[in-house]
Amino acid sequence: MEVLTSRLLITPADPAASRRFYGEVLGLAVAREFGPPEHQGIVYFAGGGFLELSGRGEAGVPASTLRLWLQVRDAAAEYARLQVLVRAGELDAAAVVREPRLEPWGLIEMWLRDPDGMAVALVEVPAEHPLRRDPRG
């Protein structure tokens, strides 16, 4: 099988809240929008992949045990930026589940919850971590 492209699909209970979270709070760039205004979908760039919000899910019912992993350059800077949004009342404090910390596997991770409760990890890969090195030499 040859995979040409891929994306993570989310069917949010509140599309407007999810658009705000991914587009404004996390700052993901829009790749494209589609569909009629009353059922408009959106696709965001998410590093080397895509994240699509489309349709409408049932409120209070988690979509799945799916977790979104987003690599960032500086997890501490993202945490500080999100805290500013919390203090300004633009982000629910409960959305920030955990501050950045160095994990035993060597990555710096912080955790959020999107408006539907899906776990979102913002991950910084330190310069000395093996993910930064090309194993091919």
Side-chain angles (χ1 to χ4, degrees):
M1 170 174 60
E2 180 183 8
V3 177
L4 301 177
T5 187
S6 65
R7 70 183 61 183
L8 174 65
L9 301 175
I10 298 174
T11 305
D14 183 343
S18 291
R19 287 173 74 99
R20 184 180 170 288
F21 180 79
Y22 289 104
E24 296 173 28
V25 173
L26 294 185
L28 299 183
V30 174
R32 71 183 184 94
E33 294 182 86
F34 60 92
E38 64 276 7
H39 296 293
Q40 192 168 33
I42 188 166
V43 177
Y44 294 101
F45 289 106
F50 297 95
L51 173 82
E52 178 179 321
L53 301 177
S54 59
R56 185 182 209 94
E58 187 178 337
V61 177
S64 70
T65 56
L66 183 69
R67 293 179 292 169
L68 178 60
W69 192 94
L70 299 172
Q71 183 180 345
V72 298
R73 292 192 189 281
D74 186 338
E78 289 302 318
Y79 180 74
R81 185 182 67 78
L82 293 170
Q83 291 304 305
V84 169
L85 294 176
V86 167
R87 285 191 296 280
E90 297 176 28
L91 178 64
D92 186 339
V96 181
V97 175
R98 199 191 81 193
E99 73 285 346
R101 76 173 69 130
L102 181 63
E103 298 292 353
W105 45 90
L107 298 175
I108 299 167
E109 296 183 6
M110 71 171 287
W111 286 89
L112 309 169
R113 292 264 178 222
D114 83 351
D116 288 305
M118 183 175 73
V120 178
L122 299 185
V123 181
E124 177 183 339
V125 180
E128 66 280 357
H129 193 278
L131 286 176
R132 292 259 187 184
R133 286 180 265 163
D134 187 341
R136 297 171 291 181

